Amino acid sequence: MMWLSWKLFLFLSLTGCLSEYSEAVPGLPTSYAAILRIKSGSSSLASFNSKNRPRLSSPSLGSASSPGLRGAAQHYHSPTNLYHFSEAFKHDESIDYGPVFVQEPDDVIFPTDSEEKKISLNCQARGNPTPTYRWLRNGTEIDIESDYRFSLIEGSLIINNPSEMKDSGQYQCLTTNMFGSVLSREAVLQFAYLENFSGRTRSAVSVREGQGVVLMCSPPLHSPEIIYSWVFNEFPSFVAEDSRRFISQETGNLYISKVQTSDVGSYICLVKNTVTNARVLSPPTPLTLRNDGVMGEYEPKIEVHFPYTVTAARGTTVKMECFALGNPVPTISWRKVNGHNPSKARLRKSQAVLEIPNVQLEDAGMYECKAENSRGRNVFRGQLQVYTSAPTFPLNQLRKTIIITKGQEVIIECNPQASPKPTITWKKGDKALRESKRVTILPHGTLRILNASKSDEGRYLCQGVNVFGSAEIIASVFVKEPTRIELTPKKIELTVGESIVLSCKALHDSTLDVTFYWTLNGQPIDFEKEGGHFESIKAQASSADLMIRNILLMHAGRYGCRVQTAADTVSDETELLVRGPPGPPGVVIVEEITDTTATLSWSPGADNHSPISLYNLQARSPFSLGWQTVKTVPDVISGDMESAMAVELNPWVEYEFRVVATNKIGTGDPSAPSRVIRTNEAVPKTPPANVSGRSGRRHELVIAWEPVSEEFQNGEGFGYIVAFRPNGTRGWKEKMVTSSDASKFIYRDESVPPLTPFEVKVGVYNNKGDGPFSPIVVICSAEGEPTAAPIDVKATSLSVSEILVAWKHIKESLGRPQGFEVGYWKDMEQEEAAEKVKTEGNESSILLTGLEGNTLYHLTVRAYNAAGYGPPSTAVRAATKKSPPSQAPSNIMWIQDGSHVSLGWEPVRPLANESDVMGYKVLFRQEGQSNSQVIETQKTSAVVLLPDVGVYIIEVCAVSEGGDGTASPQIRVPSFSGGKVTSAQSTLHVLSTSSTSVTLLLALMVPSASW
């Protein structure tokens, strides 16, 4: 109804304003004359030109959307009456008129992952002459020719490869001809995207049963709005909201007013982009119960609440959240202070959300949320403000409050939607605004004030006027003192591994939003690359916390908090001192060396803000497993000392030394190693170990020991003194062994019987003198080599390349054998050229292989042990078999009947030096397989059954005493697996070089086909 009244008002205005031109255009309604010019018209129309003709301003009609939903459509109506007027004359080239919009650009939300890599902002206007088009972004004209990404198609702006950083903003289409210009409504270009959560592992949250908890979502970067939900343990098990659990669509956090044992598990935040429908999942946050008791009852604590001031456009839906932690679970209730709740209001999510649809002016006021349980209650109040849209200005220009600090620049836009373009006037208070060097009105109507001061505060009014009406916007300018910041604590001392929370609070006007940034030593903190040590927590609108976990020494320094508002930016710093284990001590100097000691000095390293309590000396030698702590004098090296003596070192050993400092925090990194030094020489103190006897020849005493490591030789000229005497005698015989690596000494005396016991000890010496002897052990002299030859030696030929040799041995009391050696040589060779092969243990036979065929061999056998070899046996002889026939079966013929194959071939006649033929082998296998089946026969024919379908490969070879002869060429035979082939179907196949043989074989094989 209001819209119809408005149209009637516009019609009357047009009629009244243009009545003086009704004579100029006979036969037309008077409203047409406002936009027409007849090229041959009367002089009364000459004054109606582009300079002084009135401009049209048509109000915008439509539905307002929530300020938070910039992507929602905002509907504006072009001056359709002018469009209809131009339609009436668009075919008449004699009529001139200014530009009139046919289509204005609409708001665009562009998904960044869209396969379409371009954006189109539509704009179309009519006019005579044909209008030209220009585009503005955020009030500045776009230079289309200088940027290849922009192009114009019939007035529409095409943006190729759009970029959020370069292209997001407010766009307007400006169309012009000689009779004027019109500026379109503002179209907002936004980019829709949803990034991934940080992959950093989230720490477990541990609370008592009955305690309240808040699980942080910390959503990734996104545009525009997102919807929050939570998954419990695994997808798609979603957390159900009730009076105890609440998911805030403002913060995204999950609130549990009273934790129960059933709540223990893993929680994952899921966010969904409202435009692209893309979804991403956060890393899981484990929730565990502490084992130190159950939380007692306590009064409600409101954790989620709506802002102190809620502003909403008339006709939109308002949602206000309120949720509290408490034990017992609090009850949430709502009321409008000094009034009743709107009847259309609805309570959602167990009364945690108050929803008011189609909000109107009468719904404005103070609203109260109350959380109550048996332990008490808590309330929160906030103001709901409802605003209306002006008829000709975009909603974001109707009424502004601009807060700046002294000396800043003030920019107030005034860009009404109208056609033709309206006249812009500015007032401050009730007086017309006077321009100066500081105060200027820009060509497109924007007011700019430079170097603002308190005198610039006030109420500014911008009015747009054309022949069809007027509209105005109001901006209140406040010039404020700079924002102040409080960063606490001011100076912190922590220990490595501890954690700290830095709190940054901005003291500012409540109407200003603030953004917080954190720095370390002047550089921005990269929360993604700091290994989880840093986390930024936005506690409240005017404060932020920096959590530093598991602090390292490298985290010490100046921490800065920078607060940025719409008016100014301020910052503050605090000093963080980190106590930790000491740094490495300075250069280690070796000042004095003896055979077992080294006096060291060093300079202290950084104590890292905790006094050094003691030092440890460490040493490394070629014989140690890395660095080892050494004994010192004094035994405990206090933190104020800078020298000490390392003791109980080994003489004549190269050492490196280093120093490690310790304080009450822990042990630090070691110093750099000292230069390599060698301790002085000394008499050896370590005798050989494991002195024992070894096997030897008859009349020998073999003495063995483990050599003394170079680490314990204590000097140059190291050797061994071997002392021994027959058991029961008094005098020692001593022999010097000068090699430090020696591990054995052999004493030979023809008069010593086998197995005579001796007392033995081994001592050490070097250039400094003689060292100690090992304990005395008893060792027997060697028993000697075997004395008897093997008997009953027999050699048996098995094949063309194998002979089996067997023997017997007479047992002896001395010279027991450890095995036997077989020597063999050809008949035409000398025994010295014999090849030899050994057995071990009590073996009494051996198979000789790899021999030549048809060859006579001579063989002997003898026993051996560690002392040597016994006498050989009497030589025996054996000849290997003749070689198998070299001729392959020839003239092979076969006939197939189903799966049966009958084969025949000529007999093989061996040469004089080849073994006689004992029979034949038929080998057959399926093609593709390696293992063959074998049929043996003494005849020159055979029948083969092929069991499976496929191709078979068949070969024939002779069998002799010397082994298998040469195989025949392969035969490929297909098998039909039992399919009966009649005699008419049977086919004779011949692999032959002689027709006579073929005839003979055919005669032999024909009867076999009748089985």
Side-chain angles (χ1 to χ4, degrees):
M1 192 65 183
M2 291 179 62
W3 185 76
L4 293 174
S5 301
W6 177 86
K7 289 190 68 176
L8 178 61
F9 169 75
L10 175 60
F11 175 75
L12 293 175
S13 299
L14 285 169
T15 304
C17 292
L18 303 177
S19 61
E20 59 180 297
Y21 299 109
S22 61
E23 300 291 332
V25 190
L28 293 177
T30 57
S31 59
Y32 285 21
I35 60 168
L36 303 179
R37 177 175 180 269
I38 307 299
K39 290 182 179 179
S40 58
S42 64
S43 60
S44 63
L45 282 177
S47 62
F48 191 68
N49 55 34
S50 63
K51 292 184 178 179
N52 58 15
R53 71 183 176 92
R55 298 186 179 274
L56 173 66
S57 175
S58 173
S60 301
L61 302 177
S63 60
S65 63
S66 169
L69 299 174
R70 295 191 62 189
Q74 297 184 5
H75 305 286
Y76 294 84
H77 295 269
S78 300
T80 53
N81 51 347
L82 294 185
Y83 170 68
H84 294 150
F85 299 161
S86 64
E87 282 290 311
F89 296 98
K90 67 180 179 180
H91 300 298
D92 189 346
E93 296 182 357
S94 64
I95 301 174
D96 293 338
Y97 58 95
V100 180
F101 280 117
V102 175
Q103 184 180 18
E104 295 187 70
D106 291 321
D107 292 346
V108 175
I109 301 179
F110 180 75
T112 56
D113 59 355
S114 171
E115 295 182 359
E116 182 73 18
K117 296 302 181 184
K118 67 179 180 179
I119 296 172
S120 178
L121 294 169
N122 298 321
C123 182
Q124 185 179 358
R126 296 191 183 278
N128 195 14
T130 301
T132 59
Y133 298 88
R134 288 179 292 164
W135 281 84
L136 289 81
R137 175 176 175 266
N138 298 331
T140 302
E141 184 175 348
I142 299 173
D143 188 352
I144 295 176
E145 293 183 357
S146 67
D147 192 336
Y148 73 93
R149 298 186 306 111
F150 294 107
S151 59
L152 273 180
I153 300 180
E154 297 181 352
S156 295
L157 178 65
I158 308 300
I159 307 175
N160 292 294
N161 298 319
S163 163
E164 179 188 13
M165 182 175 296
K166 295 180 180 179
D167 301 323
S168 59
Q170 297 176 336
Y171 287 78
Q172 288 177 283
C173 173
L174 177 65
T175 178
T176 305
N177 66 9
M178 63 183 295
F179 293 101
S181 301
V182 288
L183 189 63
S184 73
R185 65 173 289 273
E186 288 184 341
V188 178
L189 172 58
Q190 286 182 275
F191 286 76
Y193 59 88
L194 177 60
E195 296 188 2
N196 289 320
F197 280 92
S198 166
R200 178 169 48 83
T201 301
R202 298 194 173 189
S203 302
V205 177
S206 182
V207 297
R208 294 187 179 95
E209 182 180 352
Q211 187 177 354
V213 71
V214 180
L215 301 182
M216 312 295 286
C217 180
S218 301
L221 295 177
H222 60 273
S223 177
E225 277 64 41
I226 54 178
I227 298 174
Y228 299 90
S229 57
W230 282 77
V231 176
F232 181 57
N233 284 335
E234 61 181 14
F235 187 86
S237 176
F238 288 93
V239 174
E241 295 183 80
D242 50 28
S243 61
R244 197 172 60 82
R245 294 171 293 190
F246 176 69
I247 300 173
S248 171
Q249 294 303 317
E250 296 295 331
T251 66
N253 299 334
L254 171 61
Y255 301 83
I256 304 177
S257 63
K258 175 187 174 184
V259 173
Q260 300 176 354
T261 55
S262 59
D263 296 322
V264 173
S266 182
Y267 289 83
I268 301 170
C269 182
L270 185 149
V271 296
K272 174 183 175 183
N273 191 294
T274 56
V275 173
T276 65
N277 288 326
R279 300 182 180 187
V280 294
L281 295 167
S282 73
T285 300
L287 177 63
T288 61
L289 286 182
R290 294 168 54 174
N291 55 10
D292 55 352
V294 177
M295 186 72 175
E297 295 185 352
Y298 62 96
E299 65 180 11
K301 177 186 177 184
I302 295 179
E303 282 288 342
V304 186
H305 59 74
F306 53 96
Y308 291 100
T309 301
V310 179
T311 57
R314 187 175 63 184
T316 61
T317 297
V318 174
K319 294 181 180 179
M320 293 184 283
E321 295 182 345
C322 183
F323 190 78
L325 310 183
N327 185 7
V329 175
T331 300
I332 306 296
S333 60
W334 295 81
R335 75 183 184 97
K336 183 180 181 184
V337 181
N338 299 326
H340 298 286
N341 287 348
S343 59
K344 58 191 172 184
R346 299 290 182 268
L347 293 176
R348 309 289 188 193
K349 296 188 177 183
S350 300
Q351 306 191 120
V353 177
L354 175 64
E355 181 179 301
I356 307 176
N358 189 25
V359 67
Q360 298 298 319
L361 289 173
E362 59 268 21
D363 299 325
M366 182 72 71
Y367 283 81
E368 178 186 273
C369 157
K370 180 171 67 175
E372 189 171 15
N373 65 9
S374 60
R375 307 299 296 184
R377 67 176 185 173
N378 203 347
V379 298
F380 177 81
R381 289 183 177 182
Q383 185 76 28
L384 172 61
Q385 296 178 351
V386 180
Y387 59 88
T388 60
S389 60
T392 57
F393 281 91
L395 289 176
N396 61 352
Q397 293 188 10
L398 285 178
R399 186 174 297 274
K400 293 183 177 179
T401 299
I402 300 175
I403 304 174
I404 61 169
T405 58
K406 292 178 180 179
Q408 285 191 315
E409 179 184 66
V410 180
I411 295 291
I412 308 176
E413 292 184 358
C414 182
N415 190 17
Q417 303 291 323
S419 180
K421 185 176 180 179
T423 301
I424 303 297
T425 59
W426 280 91
K427 291 183 179 181
K428 181 181 180 185
D430 298 330
K431 297 180 181 181
L433 185 67
R434 298 181 61 181
E435 294 190 70
S436 65
K437 290 183 178 180
R438 287 194 318 108
V439 181
T440 56
I441 300 174
L442 302 180
H444 52 276
T446 296
L447 173 63
R448 181 172 67 183
I449 304 174
L450 301 176
N451 193 23
S453 64
K454 275 290 185 179
S455 63
D456 296 315
E457 284 190 333
R459 180 175 174 270
Y460 291 80
L461 182 143
C462 173
Q463 186 177 49
V465 180
N466 63 14
V467 294
F468 301 111
S470 65
E472 61 186 29
I473 60 171
I474 297 173
S476 298
V477 176
F478 297 91
V479 181
K480 301 291 185 181
E481 293 296 327
T483 303
R484 291 184 295 116
I485 185 175
E486 291 182 0
L487 178 59
T488 56
K490 276 301 178 184
K491 188 171 183 180
I492 317 113
E493 293 187 7
L494 293 176
T495 300
V496 167
E498 293 182 341
S499 300
I500 186 66
V501 175
L502 303 182
S503 296
C504 186
K505 183 177 181 181
L507 304 177
H508 63 94
D509 190 282
S510 61
T511 60
L512 290 178
D513 291 330
V514 294
T515 305
F516 293 85
Y517 302 91
W518 291 95
T519 61
L520 173 56
N521 295 326
Q523 298 299 317
I525 295 176
D526 190 336
F527 292 95
E528 297 297 328
K529 296 182 179 179
E530 289 296 339
H533 290 284
F534 295 98
E535 181 180 359
S536 179
I537 303 171
K538 186 70 179 294
Q540 295 179 354
S542 297
S543 64
D545 294 338
L546 174 64
M547 167 70 80
I548 313 174
R549 297 187 179 90
N550 191 21
I551 285 178
L552 305 177
L553 287 171
M554 61 183 291
H555 295 148
R558 294 176 292 104
Y559 283 82
C561 174
R562 180 163 57 92
V563 176
Q564 185 173 327
T565 70
D568 59 357
T569 299
V570 294
S571 62
D572 192 9
E573 287 189 342
T574 185
E575 187 78 19
L576 174 59
L577 184 148
V578 179
R579 293 186 300 267
V587 177
V588 178
I589 299 174
V590 182
E591 297 183 342
E592 186 179 349
I593 291 293
T594 70
D595 56 348
T596 59
T597 66
T599 302
L600 311 174
S601 64
W602 60 90
S603 58
D607 64 4
N608 290 326
H609 311 291
S610 178
I612 297 173
S613 55
L614 59 91
Y615 289 100
N616 282 314
L617 300 189
Q618 296 179 346
R620 178 174 63 182
S621 73
F623 313 106
S624 64
L625 296 175
W627 291 94
Q628 304 290 329
T629 300
V630 296
K631 291 185 178 181
T632 60
V633 173
D635 188 41
V636 176
I637 307 172
S638 60
D640 58 353
M641 297 181 65
E642 297 181 14
S643 66
M645 178 185 292
V647 298
E648 297 186 14
L649 305 177
N650 290 325
W652 199 240
V653 172
E654 290 184 339
Y655 285 98
E656 293 176 280
F657 297 94
R658 70 182 187 183
V659 181
V660 181
T662 301
N663 60 16
K664 66 178 182 180
I665 308 300
T667 299
D669 293 330
S671 68
S674 71
R675 64 181 177 88
V676 177
I677 61 94
R678 184 187 288 272
T679 51
N680 296 336
E681 292 181 280
V683 174
K685 297 180 180 179
T686 304
N690 296 326
V691 177
S692 61
R694 293 287 188 271
S695 297
R697 295 182 177 275
R698 195 179 302 273
H699 310 301
E700 288 182 347
L701 174 65
V702 181
I703 303 170
W705 61 88
E706 288 186 9
V708 174
S709 167
E710 184 182 351
E711 181 181 9
F712 303 106
Q713 292 177 6
N714 292 6
E716 292 185 315
F718 182 84
Y720 301 94
I721 303 172
V722 181
F724 53 93
R725 64 185 177 187
N727 204 4
T729 63
R730 300 185 63 179
W732 291 92
K733 288 187 178 181
E734 292 186 351
K735 298 293 182 179
M736 305 289 286
V737 180
T738 58
S739 172
S740 61
D741 297 326
S743 61
K744 184 172 66 174
F745 173 76
I746 300 175
Y747 172 70
R748 183 173 180 81
D749 186 346
E750 296 292 337
S751 64
V752 175
L755 301 179
T756 301
F758 281 81
E759 290 182 315
V760 177
K761 62 182 179 179
V762 181
V764 290
Y765 70 93
N766 64 14
N767 290 346
K768 286 290 184 177
D770 295 345
F773 279 90
S774 66
I776 296 174
V777 296
V778 176
I779 299 173
C780 292
S781 61
E783 61 177 332
E785 66 276 4
T787 57
I791 60 173
D792 292 339
V793 178
K794 295 181 180 179
T796 304
S797 176
L798 299 182
S799 69
V800 68
S801 62
E802 297 174 326
I803 294 177
L804 178 64
V805 183
W807 62 87
K808 293 181 181 178
H809 179 67
I810 300 174
K811 292 185 178 180
E812 303 177 77
S813 59
L814 296 176
R816 290 166 294 184
Q818 295 177 352
F820 296 88
E821 180 186 79
V822 177
Y824 59 95
W825 63 96
K826 296 178 184 177
D827 186 44
M828 302 300 293
E829 295 176 345
Q830 297 297 321
E831 183 177 357
E832 290 75 12
E835 296 189 48
K836 296 179 175 60
V837 61
K838 286 184 177 182
T839 69
E840 293 184 1
N842 295 321
E843 297 288 339
S844 60
S845 66
I846 189 172
L847 180 65
L848 303 179
T849 60
L851 306 177
E852 290 186 13
N854 196 24
T855 302
L856 178 63
Y857 282 90
H858 299 267
L859 306 100
T860 62
V861 183
R862 62 176 178 174
Y864 70 89
N865 62 15
Y869 291 91
S873 66
T874 304
V876 297
R877 298 190 302 172
T880 53
K881 306 292 185 182
K882 292 183 179 180
S883 300
S886 58
Q887 177 189 352
S890 61
N891 295 328
I892 298 177
M893 181 177 66
W894 72 96
I895 187 169
Q896 183 178 4
D897 190 357
S899 60
H900 293 78
V901 177
S902 298
L903 297 166
W905 56 88
E906 284 190 359
V908 174
R909 291 177 174 80
L911 302 177
N913 62 344
E914 294 178 345
S915 299
D916 294 335
V917 176
M918 301 168 59
Y920 297 91
K921 286 183 181 179
V922 179
L923 299 91
F924 63 97
R925 58 182 171 84
Q926 211 167 10
E927 190 172 45
Q929 297 183 357
S930 57
N931 296 327
S932 297
Q933 300 183 53
V934 179
I935 298 176
E936 295 188 3
T937 179
Q938 293 183 344
K939 300 178 181 180
T940 57
S941 63
V943 177
V944 179
L945 174 63
L946 308 179
D948 299 319
V949 175
V951 176
Y952 281 81
I953 296 174
I954 302 177
E955 298 174 290
V956 182
C957 67
V959 178
S960 72
E961 188 180 44
D964 294 345
T966 304
S968 67
Q970 294 181 349
I971 303 169
R972 292 169 54 87
V973 180
S975 171
F976 304 102
S977 187
K980 181 66 176 176
V981 180
T982 65
S983 60
Q985 296 171 314
S986 300
T987 303
L988 178 65
H989 303 269
V990 180
L991 184 63
S992 174
T993 58
S994 169
S995 60
T996 304
S997 300
V998 171
T999 304
L1000 175 61
L1001 288 170
L1002 180 60
L1004 293 171
M1005 292 182 60
V1006 167
S1008 68
S1010 61
W1011 68 77

